[in-house]
Amino acid sequence: MKGSTSPRWRTVLPLALVVFAISIAMNFTSCTPGSGVSVQESDVVATFYDTDFDFGAVKYFILPDTIRHITGDPDEPDSPDLSRDFDHQIIALIAANLEARGYVPVDESSAQEPDFFVLVGATAIQNYYLYGGGYPGYCWPGWCWGGGWYYPPYWGVSYAYTTGTLFTVMVPDTSDIVGDKALVHWSGAINGVLDDTKQSMKKRLSNSINQMFEQSPYLESGQ
Amino acid sequence: MKYLLAILLMMTLASSVFAQSKVTALTYDISIPEGDMTNYISDTAWRGIGFDGRWFLQGGDSPLALGISLAWHVFNQGESGTIVLPDGALTGKQNRYINSFPIMATAHYYFGSKDRLWLYAGGGVGTYYVIQRFEIGVIAFEENNWHFGVYPEVGVHIPLEEMDIIINGRYNVAFEAGESITGGGKEWTYWGINVGLAYRGW
């Protein structure tokens, strides 16, 4: 209209900014919304098996009462990041699950020869996460790889946690051990964050070991 | 304050200083997985943003507009339970993600009068950069691939006083490329329903 000032900015701008703000708020907050797990949610149970092996054809097993810590140092039997407090619980639960599936434990002094061995091992890894703001490259406090830099004041995120993995493997008999390698017909692994209370760890171990066998329905003795 | 808002508007709409007969649009995008994509993620993606710039031929007299389209669509889905593998199984809390970034050249044909409901049909051809991420417990797997892709599109402008409301529907197809987390190439297809504002640069 002649002589009038177009209200362009007043009518258009708020609407545009609303659309922009909604989109930005929903997108730029994260590429992975909902990511992150609690300690209790960190547990992963994985099982693998030899699809050609007849698990029903075996019955007697030996299960050592010791959990082997994999430390990388043959002279160091105990990992500083792993506790022995749960060893008895772990061994007992694995034995109970096998017996519930018709397998029978024997010991080395028994006249009955075992059909397979069950070996249990554990390892732990310390994980460090450090992130600093800066461009380009990746920044540590004070300096950046690739000649980068960061806006002052320095900002960043850092945290550390320890994860542990419990391995259980079934090795049918000594004929499957060649040199330092053994043919494994079934293996189960439990991985999770170790930074937890003793009570919670007990419960998580129990649930995870039971899950290991629950997702292995082929483990059943037919003898 | 009004000068700051003016600069923000220009950044938001990315107005061209060259062509006079153009449409610039900013949309909020909703994406719905389809086909094989639903085997990985079936949940609707409520996070999405799109930008379109279209320039009409013949100085604005032609109903045909060429342009570009950029977008970012975030798919995420939480799962629990057991994944059965050919020789085993995996149990844990899962987070599944797809970040899709379409970068497309576009062509659209407009029908009818621009003063009323202004319909158009067309599409885009270009590339989708897809980040596929799978988290289980504290373990994560990620694969990033560039996919050749296309989308057909239909839409409408609803004129307001100074701008239009734009609503469109797209069928996004990112053809198979690279390696997915589960091995082998993967094609990603999803529907897009996009709503936003379009500014006509006449």
Side-chain angles (χ1 to χ4, degrees), chain A residues 80-137:
Chain A
D81 298 313
L82 293 171
S83 169
R84 291 275 180 200
D85 291 349
F86 310 105
D87 283 16
H88 177 72
Q89 174 200 359
I90 292 168
I91 296 293
L93 201 46
I94 290 173
N97 272 282
L98 287 168
E99 289 181 67
R101 284 159 177 75
Y103 298 108
V104 177
V106 297
D107 55 41
E108 290 175 351
S109 60
S110 171
Q112 174 64 52
E113 289 287 324
D115 296 318
F116 63 94
F117 297 85
V118 180
L119 307 175
V120 185
T123 186
I125 296 175
Q126 292 186 344
N127 305 276
Y128 298 93
Y129 183 83
L130 182 65
Y131 177 80
Y135 302 88

Side-chain angles (χ1 to χ4, degrees), chain A residues 6-9 11-13 15-17 19-20 22-37 41-51 161 163 191-193 211 215 218, chain B residues 5-6 8-10 12-13 26-29 46-49 72-76 82 85-93 95 97 99 133 135-139 160-163 195-197 199:
Chain A
S6 169
R8 178 166 304 189
W9 303 125
T11 58
V12 161
L13 192 54
L15 291 174
L17 288 178
V19 172
F20 187 63
I22 290 173
S23 300
I24 292 296
M26 296 192 78
N27 273 59
F28 288 177
T29 51
S30 177
C31 298
T32 54
S35 185
V37 292
E41 292 173 329
S42 68
D43 295 338
V44 177
V45 180
T47 50
F48 298 95
Y49 70 104
D50 180 354
T51 55
Y161 59 94
T163 54
N191 176 270
V193 176
Q211 176 61 37
Q215 64 189 51
Y218 40 84
Chain B
L5 293 176
L8 283 174
L9 176 63
M10 286 181 354
T12 303
L13 299 178
L26 193 64
T27 55
Y28 165 61
D29 295 357
W46 298 100
R47 287 174 165 84
I49 183 172
W72 178 15
H73 304 136
V74 182
F75 298 83
N76 69 287
T82 301
L85 306 170
D87 59 350
L90 196 60
T91 301
K93 180 175 183 288
N95 286 311
Y97 303 99
N99 277 257
R133 184 176 173 88
E135 297 176 354
I136 184 164
V138 295
I139 305 163
L160 301 177
E161 186 176 327
E162 297 291 343
M163 300 189 86
V195 181
L197 293 172
Y199 171 67

